[in-house]
């Protein structure tokens, strides 16, 4: 079997890349470890930057998003029982974000792929990448007990943080940067009306909380929990009680509770692998970088990697310029580190680190409270937050 671009992973990165490549006539095959249903059962991101929504439209999958997604012109930060609005649209000269779940993005991409009749091998095992530094790389894998060999020109490693692609790069040829935070986010999805029109990021003495949504009738809420907590430790009632305790009083009063339809704990991590390319293998999205969710950047950084790789592949196949592939890592990493810094900064500013119990943690808390006051008290400060929240522009190839 032969293709031009072999894509490892059918998460949003792999599916979006596949769709964009196919649109410009570049043949691609996706190899995925789990089933499509399993992927659609994962509840993850909810906030899309304008760059990503434009890219989804370019890929021909923006129709339902534009119909059902909600354009948000602002977000709120809450602390000391006070709410501060970050007027995204006003402060950035017209930029907004779209609230539309990753699950829905993925569903739209899967349907478009099926419609085009593009090949995806779901439930594949033993995926191994070979000869990625040569001009003739290939991938071997098994599906339904049958062994396959896929020859290709390029491999896009879109297989997330725990995938095989990054591990294929010899340790001596990559450097990894990492920070692990001493807490996680416990998230609940419920068929209840959202408590507020805009998302609220709340800093409290009891820990961080945030309110988000998927639609007018479906809410997504998160609270910071110690890493040692297990989902089973938290009944729905316990969750709602703790969330109420962390919301500003006027918001807590309006909260409508109900049974959870999903509940999970996500650890928080900052991670970057440099470079994001090794020979003809490109790392895309979570395979190359992880951010804590506080800045809503993970999926959006994945989309900007995809945009860059798509432009590179266009130039390779349309103009025969094979040199341009060497721009991939440098272009991606510039934007990735901005997203990493913003996500780290928001996480530090809004979470409670006092569990660490040290004098240093107390000092950290004072620094971060001052930071939060400084940035929310002035329009300049709020603009700095707004510019980053809506996302920096995508960079063009040289
Ligand atoms: P994914 O989604 O992890 O997909 C990788 C795919 O690769 C498959 N795979 C393999 N396939 C073949 N062979 C192997 N050996 C394989 N190993 C793995 C996996 O099964 C999977 O299908 O990575 P991708 O496509 O790069 O997408 C990244 C996003 O999923 C991620 O960045 C976001 O969800 C992060 N994130 C958020 N990002 C935002 O931009 N805005 C948000 O509001 C936001 N909120 C969140 C988030 C992530 C969260 N969690 C649970 C980590 C909220 C949460 C709670
Ligand atoms: C979500 O809706 O799941 C969500 C929104 C904003 C974030 C993180 C997660 O920063």
């Amino acid at each position: 079997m032969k293709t031009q671009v072999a894509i490892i992973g059918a998460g949003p990165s792999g599916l979006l890349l596949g769709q964009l490549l196919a649109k410009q006539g570049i043949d691609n095959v996706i190899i995925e470890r789990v089933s499509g249903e399993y992927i659609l059962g994962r509840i993850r991101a909810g906030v899309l930057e304008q760059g990503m929504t434009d890219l989804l439209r370019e890929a021909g999958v923006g129709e339902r998003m534009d119909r059902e997604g909600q354009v948000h012109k602002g977000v709120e930060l809450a602390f000391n029982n006070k709410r501060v609005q970050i007027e995204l649209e006003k402060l950035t000269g017209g930029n907004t974000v779209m609230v539309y779940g990753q699950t829905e993005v993925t569903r739209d991409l899967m349907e478009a792929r099926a419609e085009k009749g593009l090949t995806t091998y779901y439930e594949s095992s033993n995926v191994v990448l070979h000869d990625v530094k040569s001009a003739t790389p290939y991938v071997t894998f098994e599906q339904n007990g049958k062994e396959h060999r896929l020859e290709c020109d390029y491999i896009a490693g879109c297989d997330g943080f725990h995938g095989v692609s990054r591990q294929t790069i010899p340790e001596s040829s990559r450097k990894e940067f990492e920070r692990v935070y001493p807490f996680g986010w416990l998230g609940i999805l419920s068929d209840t009306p959202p408590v507020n029109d805009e998302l609220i990021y709340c800093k409290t003495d009891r820990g961080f909380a945030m309110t988000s949504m998927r639609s007018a009738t479906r809410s997504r809420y998160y609270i910071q929990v110690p890493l040692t907590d297990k989902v089973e430790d938290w009944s729905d009632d316990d969750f709602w009680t703790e969330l109420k305790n962390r919301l500003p009083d006027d918001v807590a009063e309006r909260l409508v509770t109900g049974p959870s339809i999903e509940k999970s704990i996500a650890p928080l991590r900052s991670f970057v692998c440099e470079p994001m390319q090794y020979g003809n293998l490109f790392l895309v999205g979570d395979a190359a970088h992880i951010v804590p969710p506080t800045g809503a950047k993970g999926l959006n950084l994945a989309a900007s990697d995809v945009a860059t790789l798509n432009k590179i592949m266009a130039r390779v196949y349309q103009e025969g310029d094979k040199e341009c592939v060497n721009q991939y890592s440098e272009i991606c990493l510039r934007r990735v580190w901005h997203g990493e810094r913003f996500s780290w900064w928001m996480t530090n500013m809004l979470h409670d680190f006092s569990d660490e119990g040290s004098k240093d943690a107390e000092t950290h808390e004072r620094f971060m409270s001052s930071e939060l006051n400084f940035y929310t008290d002035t329009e300049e400060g709020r603009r700095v937050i707004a510019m980053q929240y809506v996302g920096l522009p995508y960079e063009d190839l040289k």
Side-chain angles (χ1 to χ4, degrees):
M1 202 174 20
K2 252 191 159 138
T3 189
Q4 288 172 307
V5 182
I7 299 175
I8 317 299
S13 299
L15 289 166
L16 179 55
L17 178 66
Q19 201 61 21
L20 288 164
L21 292 178
K23 241 195 141 204
Q24 41 176 336
I26 300 171
D27 191 47
N28 63 85
V29 169
I30 298 185
I31 303 164
E32 165 61 53
R33 188 170 51 88
V34 298
S35 67
E37 249 170 63
Y38 183 89
I39 294 172
L40 292 176
R42 293 195 287 232
I43 306 299
R44 289 189 174 176
V47 175
L48 314 183
E49 295 172 353
Q50 212 153 306
M52 176 160 189
T53 56
D54 289 344
L55 197 64
L56 288 165
R57 289 182 197 106
E58 185 187 330
V61 290
E63 202 186 301
R64 192 163 69 97
M65 172 187 76
D66 283 325
R67 217 174 41 239
E68 296 178 13
Q70 303 175 5
V71 173
H72 281 220
K73 299 178 178 175
V75 293
E76 289 187 24
L77 302 184
F79 51 99
N80 301 336
N81 220 7
K82 176 174 89 173
R83 293 163 61 189
V84 176
Q85 206 202 10
I86 309 292
E87 298 167 300
L88 301 174
E89 190 182 39
K90 191 176 141 215
L91 292 167
T92 62
N95 287 332
T96 55
V97 292
M98 174 84 83
V99 171
Y100 187 64
Q102 177 169 333
T103 313
E104 304 313 317
V105 172
T106 310
R107 193 190 310 279
D108 295 344
L109 285 163
M110 280 178 178
E111 279 175 11
R113 190 166 178 88
E115 239 167 62
K116 274 205 154 101
L118 301 168
T119 312
T120 311
Y121 287 87
Y122 284 105
E123 299 183 83
S124 299
S125 54
N126 288 334
V127 179
V128 183
L129 283 51
H130 305 266
D131 296 351
V132 299
K133 272 215 123 170
S134 79
T136 53
Y138 64 99
V139 184
T140 54
F141 61 99
E142 287 169 29
Q143 193 208 40
N144 295 329
K146 220 176 130 201
E147 283 185 23
H148 298 271
R149 175 187 165 114
L150 174 64
E151 294 173 5
C152 55
D153 301 331
Y154 299 101
I155 301 178
C158 305
D159 48 352
F161 183 64
H162 300 286
V164 288
S165 299
R166 190 177 65 253
Q167 307 301 335
T168 303
I169 304 176
E171 270 183 43
S172 57
S173 296
R174 62 181 144 100
K175 184 166 165 67
E176 296 183 345
F177 301 83
E178 185 170 46
R179 174 149 308 171
V180 178
Y181 300 85
F183 40 73
W185 276 21
L186 169 64
I188 263 195
L189 190 68
S190 66
D191 278 328
T192 53
V195 70
N196 195 47
D197 288 345
E198 291 179 349
L199 273 65
I200 315 178
Y201 292 78
C202 312
K203 176 194 170 85
T204 79
D205 294 344
R206 304 179 69 96
F208 171 83
M210 85 160 296
T211 73
S212 182
M213 65 204 71
R214 289 296 176 271
S215 70
T217 55
R218 184 168 284 189
S219 299
R220 181 74 166 155
Y221 298 110
Y222 297 98
I223 55 172
Q224 171 187 354
V225 294
L227 268 183
T228 43
D229 279 18
K230 303 267 169 294
V231 178
E232 308 78 70
D233 300 339
W234 286 89
S235 68
D236 287 359
D237 280 349
D238 290 343
F239 180 91
W240 293 120
T241 304
E242 188 56 33
L243 177 65
K244 264 190 176 171
N245 282 331
R246 297 186 192 187
L247 296 179
D249 294 341
D250 57 329
V251 179
E253 269 171 32
R254 302 199 300 260
L255 181 72
V256 179
T257 63
S260 64
I261 49 177
E262 196 265 359
K263 202 191 293 170
S264 52
I265 294 182
L268 267 65
R269 183 194 302 270
S270 299
F271 174 88
V272 180
C273 169
E274 290 189 1
M276 288 170 54
Q277 180 193 358
Y278 181 68
N280 291 318
L281 166 66
F282 304 92
L283 300 181
V284 182
D286 279 16
H289 41 76
I290 296 287
V291 286
T294 327
K297 286 285 164 267
L299 178 60
N300 291 302
L301 289 177
S304 54
D305 293 350
V306 168
T308 303
L309 189 53
N310 182 49
K311 284 184 233 170
I312 286 178
M313 289 294 116
R315 199 183 275 184
V316 167
Y317 287 106
Q318 283 161 19
E319 299 174 25
D321 172 11
K322 289 192 177 171
E323 282 302 304
C324 72
V325 299
N326 299 320
Q327 296 184 41
Y328 177 73
S329 189
E330 201 186 315
I331 291 178
C332 290
L333 283 171
R334 260 193 292 276
R335 198 170 189 282
V336 164
W337 275 112
H338 282 307
E340 290 281 348
R341 179 188 40 71
F342 179 63
S343 306
W344 159 83
W345 182 68
M346 289 281 280
T347 303
N348 275 324
M349 209 162 52
L350 297 171
H351 287 72
D352 176 30
F353 286 75
S354 66
D355 263 6
E356 296 195 323
S358 63
K359 216 168 159 198
D360 187 58
E362 283 175 16
T363 311
H364 176 87
E365 164 53 31
R366 287 290 191 277
F367 283 144
M368 290 303 125
S369 286
S370 168
E371 186 102 333
L372 189 54
N373 282 317
F374 178 75
Y375 277 90
T376 49
D377 277 352
T378 59
E379 184 165 307
E380 290 86 343
R382 292 193 295 276
R383 181 172 293 116
V384 168
I385 298 176
M387 275 170 60
Q388 300 179 87
Y389 195 83
V390 300
L392 300 178
Y394 289 5
E395 202 177 306
D396 271 329
L397 306 187
K398 282 200 256 330

